[in-house]
Amino acid sequence: DKLSAESLYIKTRTDMRLIDVTEISTLDEVIKNHIIQVLVAKGNNKTKAAQALGIHRRQLYRLLDTYQIKTR
């Protein structure tokens, strides 16, 4: 059996849908984008963002540096 794009499915809460393999992000991209989304949602409050991410504030600062995320 060969693996094909048509055979890759992801289960969502409401349906099964085909994954577009051309739009798959790397894990680093997913992590960076999630951190940015949480920061925006928390009004750039790093303490609240770290709490929402379930990490210590120090770890958030390390991740901001690692992923070169600029904040105010």
Side-chain angles (χ1 to χ4, degrees):
D1 292 333
K2 286 188 174 184
L3 186 62
S4 67
E6 292 77 25
S7 66
L8 296 174
Y9 285 91
I10 183 169
K11 183 173 173 109
T12 65
R13 290 184 181 162
T14 56
D15 66 347
M16 298 287 285
R17 58 190 166 113
L18 187 63
I19 294 175
D20 182 353
V21 293
T22 62
E23 294 182 19
I24 294 178
S25 299
T26 65
L27 183 56
D28 282 336
E29 291 170 331
V30 171
I31 292 168
K32 180 177 180 175
N33 287 333
H34 186 62
I35 292 168
I36 291 169
Q37 288 175 349
V38 171
L39 280 166
V40 168
K42 298 299 178 182
N44 204 38
N45 182 309
K46 291 168 193 68
T47 300
K48 290 181 180 180
Q51 289 171 344
L53 291 166
I55 60 175
H56 292 282
R57 198 178 71 222
R58 289 183 311 266
Q59 180 63 27
L60 176 59
Y61 279 101
R62 287 186 202 111
L63 290 169
L64 294 174
D65 185 51
T66 298
Y67 293 106
Q68 300 176 351
I69 299 170
K70 307 284 188 229
T71 62
R72 291 183 240 128

